[in-house]
Amino acid sequence: PPDVGSIFDGKVIKITDFGAFVAIGNKEGLVHISNMANHKVKSVGDILKLGQIVKVKVIGIDDKNRIKLSMKDV
């Protein structure tokens, strides 16, 4: 898995009510809605579109190797 603190250009591959899944290399991670911007985000679709390239930072990896990403920390 990528190292915590690494920054990637990732591609938005799925949008949900609670966040967006972003592909980084051959992995994917979740940018939770609370980690998208420094202001309150009402809807993920207000900020992101499918296929959009975004800068993300790896902020954690859980015990199931799921990658947690942040856009606001980049």
Side-chain angles (χ1 to χ4, degrees), residues 12-48:
V12 178
I13 55 172
K14 183 177 177 190
I15 290 178
T16 67
D17 291 342
F18 56 84
F21 289 90
V22 175
I24 52 172
N26 59 354
K27 303 268 185 205
E28 68 180 56
L30 174 68
V31 180
H32 190 267
I33 192 166
S34 63
N35 287 317
M36 288 187 178
N38 287 318
H39 59 276
K40 184 159 173 43
V41 177
K42 287 194 189 84
S43 167
V44 175
D46 291 346
I47 293 198
L48 294 175

